[in-house]
Every structure is written in C-alpha cells, then in structure tokens.
Amino acid sequence: MAHVNVFDTTLRDGEQSAGVNLDRLEKVEIAKQLERLGVDIMEAGFPASSQADFEAVKEIADTVRGCSVTGLARANKRDIDIAWEALKGGAEPRLHVFIATSPIHMTHKLKKTPDEVVEKAVEMVAYAKEKFPHVQFSAEDALRSDQDFLVHIIEKVIDAGASVINLPDTVGFTTPDEIGRLFRYVRENVPNIDRAILSTHNHDDLGMAVSNSLAAIENGARQIEGTINGIGERAGNAALEEIAVALKIRQDRFDFETGLVLKEIKRTSDLVSRLTGMQVPGNKAVVGRNAFAHESGIHQDGMLKESTTYEIITPAMVGIDSNRMVLGKHSGRHAFKQKAEELGFELTENKLKEAFESFKTLTGKKKEVTDDDLFAILTDTQTENEDQPKYELKAFQVQYGSINRPTATVLLTRPDGEEVEKANTGEGSVEAIYNTLDDLIDADVHLQDYQLSSIGKGRDALAEVHVQLTVDGVKASGRGSAQDVLEASAHAFLNAVNRTLYRSKMENYQKVQV
C-alpha cells in the first residue's frame, strides 16, 4: 500500500478558528499528543506573527523528535529568517512558504502581475532552501488559479528547491471531481513533478473537505493536510481523523495508508476540544459521543446479534475503551501516576503533587472518578503557568431565590498578593459572580461568550465552562471545571483574565528583546 504523509496544522490553521487562543503550554501539550498520534509533519504555528507564537514554535521544535516540525512563512526574507531561528533546533526542520496564485488574489490582495508572483516565489524558495533541508511551497487559492499558470510556477519553484508542492482549496470552493482533475493535470504537465510530493489542503466551506482530500489522494497527492476535529478558519479544515479511518475501513477502495496510531485518535480529539473550547458535535464522525450509539430498536437488535450489522468502526480502533479502570478515594499516588501516564501525561513532581491533591479533593465529593474527570484535572494542571502572578479565587458565596435578586460575595487574591473582597448583584447567579469579579479586577472586562457543558454523566458530573472575554480590548478565552457550575464559571472568568496577564508579560518580553 502507498504511504500518505499526514501534515497536521491544528496548531496553526486550527488555532485560527474564531475564539481560539492557545498559549505556549497548551500548544506544547497538544504537540506532544500529536507526536503520539504519529503525524509525519506538524505545523506548529506562524513564527513571525508574534513573539508568543515564535516561543511556542521554538519550544515545540526543540521538544518533539518523532516527526518533522514546520512553521508558516510568507514569501519574504523576514518571515523566513524568523522561522529558521524558531525551527533550527528541530529533528527535521522544514519551512512552509506560500504566495497566492489565483487571479483574484494576485490582483486585489498582492497587487502583483503573474510574472512578479513567479519571480518572488522562486526567489524566496531558493532563499529558504539555503537554510532548510525541506521546503514546502503552497500556491494559495490554487483551486481558483489558472491551471497553466500553476504548472508554470510549480516547475519553477521545484527547480528552486521545493520538495513539496501544496495545492490548497483555500476557500472550500471545489468538488471531488474538480480537485481530481487538477491533480491529474499537474502530474501530467509539470515536467519535473517527480522531484516533489504533491500535497492537498482543503477547507470545509461546502462540507466537502474530507471528500476532496480523498479524491486528491486517488489522483496523486501523497500528503494530506488537515486538523484534529476539523477545526480551522470559517467552516474549518479537513478532519484528519476522518480521512485516516476512511483509508483504513475502505481499503477495498483506497490502496493507501497513513502512519497514524488510530487508538490515539479519541484522546487527541478530547485534548484539542478541551484546550480550544471547541466542542465536538455529538454526531461528528469517528469522535462524536453518538458515533457508536444505537437507539433504534432495529439497530439495537442487529448489534446484539452481530456488531458489524450497524457498526463499521469499532470503538477500540479509535481509542474508546469500555473497560477503563476507575480510581476512588482509596487510590494512592502510585496508581494515580500510572493512570496519568496511561492517559498520555508526563508530569513533573510538582505538577503530579498538585494534580493528585485535586484528585483527592474530588474523591471527597464523587464516589468514582472517571477517566474523563482525570483528563480534565491533568489537562488543567499540565497547562497552568507556574510562578505567574495571577488572580486567584479564595472563596465565594451566592445568595439566590426565586423572589430575590442574586447577590455574590467574592474573596480574591490579586497578582500582588493582596486579598480583596466585594459583593455585587446580577439578574442571575453567574452574572452576579461576574459583576463582582469585574469590580475586583483592575481591567475593563466584557463577556463575549459563555458555554457550559458536563464532563461525563450523572448528577455528580463535573461542570466545564468556557468563556470568551475582552480584557482592556484584548480578546481572551478561558476555561474552568468544578462540580459546582458557579465555581466553574468563576474559574473560567479568572483563567481568561490571567491568560491576558501572561500575554502582556510576553509582549513586554518581546519589547525588551528588541
């Protein structure tokens, strides 16, 4: 079977989803899980876009050794130089450089003639090749580009040193038959195409990203680009987990394979969902909570007699284990550490101690602590910035009744260590808490979005809250979990504010470095 490389862009294109703002620790944690998943290439970010992104890409490149780490760059020397500084410590550094090739982009965005675009592309690919052993060239908006112009520019950038040619459907415009024809045309008309790998990168604006990716593979693409859970700008990208499982299940149709470890799919999906705050729809293929649920009587009867009557993918294939060990209040530190490692977490002694204390606190409230509960505790602990001055919730109380206006009293520790306490009201309990926190925080804070969900099932399930705020005009996202909805809401609010403090610290660091 022919091997197809998997190029994951969750940390770059995926993070461009509206409302998603991953910090350095969160990016590194996702990167480690993507490495366990077995991706071939990991696009860690856009190093030239900000100091924070540069630092995250550099740490990922220096940490990850199981795959090639790449970064995005526009076709200019500054972007390429910054990307090299971030990526040069990687096991297999590569650069992803792009320039638009469609008439609408060249005319209205770049304001360049086709000849000028070719000249710039060739110059920058050649410049990048002086530094990077692998250079990928992307023809932005390729599916709306003139095919003969594509053939011309592809031939030139391959001669300049590009070893991967990506033909992205940047706006999710194409169909499977159209993308198939384009890839065939390129293969048949670019004379030096044998010196490069063709890659496909599809957006889901018309709901065809996965189908288009599979069609491109059938017609010569040997690299697929996408994201976990299909996240990304607008309607998102092709969902890598769907492509990988489709290639596995339909081997009768697709004589191709990836190197993905399929049993790591669910864990990867859960981590990305939790850290980005983008919930996976229940009916989402492969990883949705209903993907293996059967409610129809006819379906249930068939499943009891023979599972393959209605189930083409087994839960175990993608990492859903029905025989998971449950920890409780009598479980010790050793069992907890072993379970954390099974869930894919490598914690320092301090982080392990902190997570174990949170676990013990939870066992006093819940009879059984599930894998989902542990995953939430470990994720929060692992991605918390240590030794960072922050606002910390010490205590709160809410008075509420059907005929009384809700009133919240909050005791808070400020970043300078001072304890402050105030009370305020609201139309509801959450609003009362948020109004009080707003009074206690030295910033202009506005709530933009609030999402509440549960972790696991049952009356004692943990509540998880995701919020989006603006803090002094800066967008910030935050998350919090607790058995009490109001406590989870308070933690999410403060998490967003503290992330803004950390970002300001990074920006000040950037000014000092400059």
Side-chain angles (χ1 to χ4, degrees):
M1 299 177 70
H3 180 80
V4 177
N5 287 334
V6 174
F7 179 112
D8 180 276
T9 184
T10 302
L11 295 172
R12 199 276 300 171
D13 209 340
E15 200 204 8
Q16 292 175 200
S17 304
V20 174
N21 179 27
L22 299 169
D23 64 25
R24 178 181 58 84
L25 289 179
E26 290 169 335
K27 278 197 163 191
V28 170
E29 199 59 32
I30 291 175
K32 290 177 180 178
Q33 181 56 37
L34 290 173
E35 184 180 18
R36 283 188 287 268
L37 179 64
V39 303
D40 298 285
I41 300 105
M42 182 190 309
E43 189 167 45
F46 186 177
S49 64
S50 70
Q51 181 68 20
D53 219 31
F54 173 87
E55 295 290 339
V57 173
K58 186 177 188 307
E59 183 166 349
I60 291 169
D62 292 345
T63 301
V64 169
R65 284 294 177 266
C67 67
S68 178
V69 177
T70 188
L72 187 69
R74 292 163 295 194
N76 66 65
K77 289 185 178 181
R78 176 184 177 275
D79 278 18
I80 295 170
D81 289 342
I82 293 174
W84 173 245
E85 289 304 312
L87 294 161
K88 64 184 180 181
E92 189 183 357
R94 73 175 60 212
L95 182 74
H96 180 194
V97 62
F98 74 96
I99 195 168
T101 55
S102 68
I104 190 170
H105 276 241
M106 291 189 291
T107 301
H108 299 287
K109 186 179 76 172
L110 299 180
K111 300 188 184 303
K112 291 181 181 295
T113 66
D115 287 344
E116 288 173 329
V117 169
V118 173
E119 181 181 1
K120 175 62 71 173
V122 169
E123 179 188 0
M124 290 302 103
V125 167
Y127 181 74
K129 188 62 178 175
E130 294 175 3
K131 302 174 183 290
F132 291 87
H134 301 286
V135 177
Q136 171 172 318
F137 172 76
S138 280
E140 186 185 9
D141 205 21
L143 270 297
R144 293 194 297 176
S145 300
D146 177 78
Q147 291 189 349
D148 291 329
F149 177 67
L150 274 180
V151 165
H152 176 59
I153 195 171
I154 289 170
E155 179 184 359
K156 294 298 184 183
V157 295
I158 291 176
D159 283 340
S163 56
V164 179
I165 301 297
N166 181 38
L167 303 177
D169 182 18
T170 304
V171 295
F173 176 75
T174 197
T175 62
D177 63 313
E178 290 172 342
I179 199 170
R181 286 199 300 271
L182 175 64
F183 273 80
R184 287 197 304 275
Y185 190 84
V186 168
R187 286 174 55 214
E188 293 167 359
N189 291 277
V190 176
N192 56 359
I193 196 63
D194 59 311
R195 290 160 46 193
I197 294 172
L198 280 175
S199 182
T200 184
H201 176 119
N202 296 293
H203 282 262
D204 207 35
D205 297 70
L206 296 179
M208 290 184 281
V210 170
S211 297
N212 288 337
S213 298
L214 293 171
I217 292 171
E218 287 186 297
N219 288 278
R222 291 299 175 264
Q223 177 174 293
I224 51 169
E225 303 188 12
T227 60
I228 301 302
N229 299 335
I231 66 173
E233 284 195 277
R234 306 184 313 278
N237 290 256
L240 287 177
E241 68 277 1
E242 295 181 22
I243 298 171
V245 172
L247 292 177
K248 175 68 175 179
I249 297 299
R250 293 304 310 272
Q251 289 182 358
D252 61 315
R253 169 68 186 272
F254 303 109
D255 194 24
F256 308 98
E257 63 180 357
T258 70
L260 292 191
V261 181
L262 299 186
K263 67 179 182 180
E264 292 288 341
I265 284 177
K266 186 63 168 64
R267 182 186 301 165
T268 312
S269 170
D270 289 346
L271 182 67
V272 170
S273 175
R274 177 164 176 75
L275 293 183
T276 61
M278 298 189 72
Q279 302 253 339
V280 176
N283 65 334
K284 166 78 167 62
V286 178
V287 292
R289 66 178 179 273
N290 294 338
F292 304 99
H294 303 271
E295 186 160 328
S296 162
I298 295 173
H299 285 213
Q300 290 173 348
D301 179 65
M303 284 290 296
L304 290 171
K305 293 174 180 175
E306 170 53 53
S307 62
T308 57
T309 53
Y310 289 103
E311 192 170 81
I312 62 171
I313 310 168
T314 64
M317 177 186 291
V318 296
I320 299 175
D321 186 0
S322 59
N323 297 314
R324 297 182 293 182
M325 180 176 69
V326 178
L327 300 182
K329 64 180 180 180
H330 299 299
S331 299
R333 184 186 175 96
H334 178 73
F336 179 81
K337 180 180 180 180
Q338 183 179 12
K339 190 63 181 177
E341 291 173 352
E342 289 177 9
L343 291 173
F345 292 90
E346 300 173 2
L347 286 81
T348 63
E349 282 301 313
N350 286 340
K351 294 276 192 182
L352 180 64
K353 181 176 180 292
E354 182 183 342
F356 185 66
E357 289 174 354
S358 298
F359 160 70
K360 280 297 187 182
T361 300
L362 187 58
T363 60
K365 301 175 181 177
K366 290 189 70 175
K367 182 178 180 181
E368 293 183 339
V369 179
T370 67
D371 279 8
D372 291 334
D373 298 326
L374 289 175
F375 193 84
I377 290 172
L378 292 164
T379 303
D380 287 345
T381 304
Q382 187 77 314
T383 56
E384 183 179 1
N385 288 297
E386 295 182 291
D387 303 322
Q388 175 200 336
K390 58 186 176 182
Y391 290 97
E392 187 173 355
L393 182 68
K394 302 298 291 185
F396 76 97
Q397 182 175 336
V398 178
Q399 294 177 316
Y400 174 82
S402 59
I403 59 174
N404 298 322
R405 185 173 174 81
T407 302
T409 303
V410 177
L411 176 63
L412 200 65
T413 301
R414 294 164 48 87
D416 59 9
E418 178 188 2
E419 285 193 355
V420 289
E421 181 178 6
K422 278 193 177 182
N424 205 337
T425 62
E427 294 301 321
S429 300
V430 173
E431 185 183 9
I433 291 176
Y434 282 5
N435 287 342
T436 308
L437 289 172
D438 198 6
D439 290 342
L440 291 168
I441 291 169
D442 295 330
D444 183 26
V445 183
H446 295 280
L447 178 67
Q448 303 295 315
D449 190 36
Y450 175 96
Q451 296 179 25
L452 171 66
S453 59
S454 67
I455 298 174
K457 302 177 181 178
R459 294 183 180 182
D460 61 354
L462 288 176
E464 183 170 52
V465 172
H466 287 269
V467 298
Q468 291 180 27
L469 310 176
T470 58
V471 184
D472 287 336
V474 177
K475 292 182 179 180
S477 58
R479 67 179 186 279
S481 58
Q483 271 204 302
D484 181 78
V485 171
L486 300 182
E487 183 180 353
S489 300
H491 285 312
F493 189 97
L494 292 176
N495 180 248
V497 172
N498 289 330
R499 285 162 65 95
T500 308
L501 291 177
Y502 180 72
R503 191 189 308 176
S504 298
K505 177 182 175 183
M506 290 299 299
E507 289 173 352
N508 290 333
Y509 171 78
Q510 180 182 10
K511 293 174 184 177
V512 172
Q513 291 296 95
V514 172

